[in-house]
């Protein structure tokens, strides 16, 4: 990949498990850059998305995550345009994307994995990936993913061929993703919405990944916005996947945070970034201002008394999201 002569400094780097990559505690999530108002409630223009990526390149975060299917490829195209405008990726910057099934046919074969990679390479304008994930494999059975020459075999082959420096598995269905983790073939785990202040159902999955030396990336620490904007504005957890009673718990957490002068969003983000098992936390952004807000949230000091209260309020139910 082309890199410019000067590069920003990235403090507080963490080794992403056996991937060998060094990443910041926050990973910039590129899903909103694809402009998906059905999820996020607002449109994101080309100019706004490109400006956000260029601001990301200025630091302090060195990790950017996207996917083949975010906005039907719009996220990758816009990131690619920003890479061109910047004159290449900054030195030390880690770019990750994901392979996806064919959105029209549902095909998730080995051939589709290779086609997905080709599309992403073209959109992003790079010749290889630092990190490449198998994305949402719950779209097929585990047995279908593991057939000879299928998605799993092709992911391993792409790493062996040097198309990807490291490979990961990214999804939300804990029981299925654990089966992929237990193959011991992947370098990185990405789980989303299952390890937050409200839902701890991925805790065992994270432990299993750490025991294998894998990197762990935790996405959606705000549970689709409920823990960022508050349950009054975002009453649905994970875009509607959680139980309605989660909003009541979130409201009590918000009240506890307010008594200590800490935004609920800060506690939600720090809950993930302070966990030593989690190497990076994905926060979706759609504007340069959102990056500044994320930095400000990280700077909050959450007292031990508040952490204790949040643990008391944490739901007793292990699973708040459907497993099938």
């Amino acid at each position: 990949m082309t890199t410019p002569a000067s590069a920003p400094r990235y403090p507080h780097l963490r080794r992403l498990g056996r991937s060998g990559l060094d990443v910041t505690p926050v990973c910039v999530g590129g899903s909103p850059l694809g402009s998906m108002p059905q999820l996020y409630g607002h449109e994101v223009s080309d100019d706004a998305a490109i400006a956000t990526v260029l601001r990301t390149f200025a630091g302090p975060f060195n990790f950017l995550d996207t996917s083949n299917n975010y906005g039907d490829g719009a996220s990758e195209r816009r990131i690619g345009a920003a890479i061109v405008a910047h004159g290449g990726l900054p030195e030390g910057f880690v770019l990750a994307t994901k392979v996806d099934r064919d959105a029209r046919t549902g095909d998730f074969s080995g051939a589709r994995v290779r086609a997905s990679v080709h599309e992403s390479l073209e959109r992003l304008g790079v010749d290889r990936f630092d990190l490449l994930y198998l994305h949402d494999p719950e779209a097929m059975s585990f047995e279908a993913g593991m057939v000879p020459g299928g998605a799993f075999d092709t992911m391993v082959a792409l790493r062996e061929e040097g198309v990807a420096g490291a490979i990961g598995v990214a999804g939300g269905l804990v029981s299925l993703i654990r089966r992929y983790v237990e193959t011991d073939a992947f370098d990185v785990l990405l789980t989303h919405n299952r390890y937050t202040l409200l839902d701890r159902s991925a805790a065992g999955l994270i432990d299993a990944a750490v025991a294998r030396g894998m990197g762990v990336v935790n996405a959606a620490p705000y549970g689709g916005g409920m823990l960022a904007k508050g349950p009054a504005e975002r009453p649905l957890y994970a875009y509607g996947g959680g139980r309605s009673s989660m909003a009541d718990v979130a409201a009590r957490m918000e009240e506890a945070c307010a008594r200590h002068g800490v935004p609920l969003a800060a506690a939600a983000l720090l809950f993930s970034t302070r966990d030593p098992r989690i190497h990076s936390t994905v926060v979706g952004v759609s504007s340069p201002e959102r990056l500044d807000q994320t930095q400000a949230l990280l700077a909050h000091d959450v007292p031990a008394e508040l952490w204790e209260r949040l643990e008391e309020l944490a739901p007793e139910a292990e699973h708040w999201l459907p497993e099938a």
Side-chain angles (χ1 to χ4, degrees):
M1 298 179 186
T2 304
T3 57
S6 60
R9 294 180 61 188
Y10 301 118
H12 315 302
L13 291 175
R14 301 173 178 177
R15 179 57 56 96
L16 186 59
R18 65 186 184 212
S19 74
L21 299 168
D22 293 317
V23 298
T24 45
V26 166
C27 173
V28 175
S31 175
L33 300 177
S35 189
M36 294 187 283
Q38 70 275 19
L39 289 183
Y40 302 110
H42 63 280
E43 300 276 358
V44 179
S45 68
D46 284 351
D47 289 346
I50 292 168
T52 301
V53 179
L54 289 173
R55 171 65 180 79
T56 298
F57 288 162
F61 309 129
N62 82 327
F63 194 8
L64 175 60
D65 172 88
T66 184
S67 185
N68 178 280
N69 73 353
Y70 289 161
D72 194 26
S75 177
E76 289 185 331
R77 285 193 294 271
R78 291 165 167 185
I79 293 169
I83 292 172
V84 171
H86 189 264
L89 286 169
E91 183 180 351
F93 197 88
V94 177
L95 176 64
T97 194
K98 310 181 189 76
V99 302
D100 282 288
R101 70 187 187 278
D102 187 294
R104 289 164 290 279
T105 67
D107 177 27
F108 217 156
S109 63
R112 171 55 201 163
V113 167
R114 287 193 178 275
S116 179
V117 168
H118 177 76
E119 293 163 4
S120 296
L121 289 170
E122 186 173 282
R123 292 173 188 150
L124 292 163
V126 298
D127 54 16
R128 67 183 297 277
F129 298 112
D130 300 312
L131 173 59
L132 183 68
Y133 293 102
L134 177 65
H135 190 207
D136 289 345
E138 47 262 54
M140 58 184 162
S141 68
F142 180 74
E143 291 72 22
M146 297 297 293
V147 299
F152 174 85
D153 281 355
T154 304
M155 290 295 295
V156 173
L158 288 165
R159 181 178 56 196
E160 292 172 349
E161 295 163 11
V163 176
I167 60 172
V169 59
L173 192 58
V174 172
S175 58
L176 176 66
I177 300 302
R178 181 158 189 153
R179 296 182 72 179
Y180 282 101
V181 165
E182 290 174 347
T183 66
D184 210 21
F186 293 95
D187 305 300
V188 180
L189 161 72
L190 187 153
T191 182
H192 66 82
N193 286 299
R194 271 74 173 182
Y195 196 72
T196 71
L197 285 175
L198 286 172
D199 189 308
R200 315 292 173 85
S201 55
L205 175 63
I206 292 170
D207 285 339
V210 170
R212 288 166 171 79
M214 295 174 65
V216 175
V217 178
N218 187 37
Y222 305 130
M226 179 183 282
L227 294 169
K229 298 185 178 181
E233 184 171 342
R234 287 292 180 91
L236 300 178
Y237 185 86
Y239 316 111
R243 301 176 188 173
S244 59
S245 54
M246 297 180 86
D248 297 331
V249 179
R252 292 196 291 273
M253 288 182 168
E254 189 174 37
E255 292 170 0
C257 287
R259 286 195 291 272
H260 289 272
V262 176
L264 177 62
L269 178 57
L270 291 165
F271 170 78
S272 181
T273 60
R274 72 197 284 265
D275 191 316
R277 302 171 303 166
I278 295 171
H279 303 108
S280 195
T281 300
V282 181
V283 177
V285 299
S286 57
S287 69
E289 294 75 21
R290 186 79 173 90
L291 291 162
D292 296 332
Q293 292 166 5
T294 300
Q295 285 183 257
L297 291 174
L298 288 170
H300 278 273
D301 182 21
V302 179
E305 181 182 351
L306 177 55
W307 286 127
E308 292 170 4
R309 179 55 180 156
L310 292 174
E311 286 302 308
E312 291 173 359
L313 292 170
E316 294 182 4
E318 182 181 356
H319 294 285
W320 284 68
L321 290 169
E323 269 290 279

